[in-house]
Amino acid sequence: MDQLLGFLSHSWWLLFVFGGSIGGAVKAVGAANRRRAERRLERYRLKQQTKIEIARAKAQVHTDERTQRREIAKIVDEHDQTDARWFGYEMSLVTLLDFPMMTDMREPLTVEFHKAKRRADLLRPDDPESMVGNHEAQVEYRDAVHGYAIAFDVCEAEAKRRRRSGFTAREQERLVRAQRLLRLAMDDGATPEERQSAYVKARKDLDGLIVLPAGARAQLEHRIAGQIGA
């Protein structure tokens, strides 16, 4: 240390010679350190921003999926509600004969309703979860269900307005008689033979007028057959 101090005391004049260079070097080192610090800070900011954006994207995906599930559930519910309204006719033959247009395939509105129902049924997913993320399938199913519900509303309104007015007086008599016979066929208090006979006669009266829905027909035939076999 004494030697270094001695050297500096005798060579102080060197500071005037190399002072500028040393000062410049010190400044350069300082600037380089600042640039490195700034680069590190920028990298840190970029990493943080990336993490934030990823978190936002994930949150958006989760939110979007929840929204999709709610919308799909609404569409399925609308489908179920429209089905329930139709089943009120399909599974009640007596009610159906008050509004026979609901199954009268000579009527364009009836044809459109049944076509719309068939399309909605075909597009209905077995598992609604399978539609999440498939926007095209969601839109197609949604439009089909809306079309089904509207077609049903239009057909039902016209059927209620007309009731049996689209049939001749003779055909209306057959409808009334068939309705009375179907009530007897569904009467658990009647004998199996009476019920079977009433059903056969009702089918004969309805032949050429309207087609009984397959589900209701099968259910009634099963009940009658069960009583006969008991």
Side-chain angles (χ1 to χ4, degrees), residues 7-24:
F7 173 78
L8 290 176
S9 65
H10 290 92
S11 305
W12 57 267
W13 53 272
L14 292 174
L15 293 175
F16 292 99
V17 178
F18 298 105
S21 299
I22 294 173

Side-chain angles (χ1 to χ4, degrees), residues 124-152:
R124 180 172 185 149
D126 294 328
D127 178 11
E129 190 69 19
S130 66
M131 274 194 172
V132 176
N134 190 338
H135 180 69
E136 183 177 349
Q138 291 177 41
V139 170
E140 190 175 22
Y141 178 52
R142 180 199 64 200
D143 291 348
V145 171
H146 289 348
Y148 169 35
I150 292 170
F152 178 86

Side-chain angles (χ1 to χ4, degrees), residues 205-224:
D205 273 328
L206 294 174
D207 187 36
L209 292 181
I210 67 170
V211 177
L212 296 177
R217 188 176 68 247
Q219 185 182 64
L220 179 55
E221 290 173 356
H222 179 71
R223 286 173 57 185
I224 295 172

Side-chain angles (χ1 to χ4, degrees), residues 10-229:
H10 290 92
S11 305
W12 57 267
W13 53 272
L14 292 174
L15 293 175
F16 292 99
V17 178
F18 298 105
S21 299
I22 294 173
V26 170
K27 290 180 180 179
V29 170
N33 288 336
R34 285 195 298 273
R35 286 195 297 272
R36 280 196 294 270
E38 288 173 356
R39 285 197 295 270
R40 285 197 295 269
L41 182 58
E42 184 63 22
R43 284 196 296 269
Y44 172 77
R45 288 172 178 168
L46 289 174
K47 287 181 180 179
Q48 290 300 104
Q49 188 62 34
T50 300
K51 289 180 180 179
I52 291 172
E53 293 301 326
I54 291 174
R56 285 177 179 173
K58 288 181 178 179
Q60 181 60 43
V61 168
H62 292 157
T63 301
D64 187 53
E65 287 181 351
R66 285 196 298 270
T67 301
Q68 289 183 54
R69 289 187 180 94
R70 284 197 297 269
E71 291 303 314
I72 294 168
K74 288 180 182 179
I75 300 169
V76 171
D77 183 61
E78 183 180 8
H79 196 162
D80 287 341
Q81 290 185 35
T82 309
D83 276 348
R85 294 172 64 192
W86 162 239
F87 291 155
Y89 294 97
E90 187 180 37
M91 303 310 292
S92 177
L93 299 179
V94 173
T95 301
L96 178 62
L97 293 184
D98 280 330
F99 311 103
M101 181 183 156
M102 296 301 292
T103 57
D104 187 353
M105 302 308 264
R106 298 172 300 179
E107 296 289 341
L109 291 179
T110 306
V111 173
E112 286 303 312
F113 153 56
H114 286 278
K115 283 172 61 178
K117 171 176 169 47
R118 186 160 54 248
R119 182 168 184 268
D121 289 344
L122 287 173
L123 292 174
R124 180 172 185 149
D126 294 328
D127 178 11
E129 190 69 19
S130 66
M131 274 194 172
V132 176
N134 190 338
H135 180 69
E136 183 177 349
Q138 291 177 41
V139 170
E140 190 175 22
Y141 178 52
R142 180 199 64 200
D143 291 348
V145 171
H146 289 348
Y148 169 35
I150 292 170
F152 178 86
D153 286 341
V154 172
C155 184
E156 182 183 49
E158 185 65 10
K160 288 183 175 180
R161 185 186 71 81
R162 292 191 194 182
R163 294 184 69 87
R164 300 189 184 110
S165 63
F167 296 85
T168 65
R170 174 60 182 159
E171 289 173 338
Q172 290 186 42
E173 289 178 6
R174 288 169 59 188
L175 287 171
V176 172
R177 185 168 57 247
Q179 192 176 46
R180 185 173 62 251
L181 289 167
L182 285 173
R183 284 196 178 95
L184 177 59
M186 292 184 288
D187 184 1
D188 292 334
T191 66
E193 291 75 17
E194 288 174 332
R195 295 178 68 181
Q196 177 72 21
S197 176
Y199 177 66
V200 171
K201 290 178 181 177
R203 290 288 303 272
K204 184 177 180 180
D205 273 328
L206 294 174
D207 187 36
L209 292 181
I210 67 170
V211 177
L212 296 177
R217 188 176 68 247
Q219 185 182 64
L220 179 55
E221 290 173 356
H222 179 71
R223 286 173 57 185
I224 295 172
Q227 277 212 343
I228 291 175

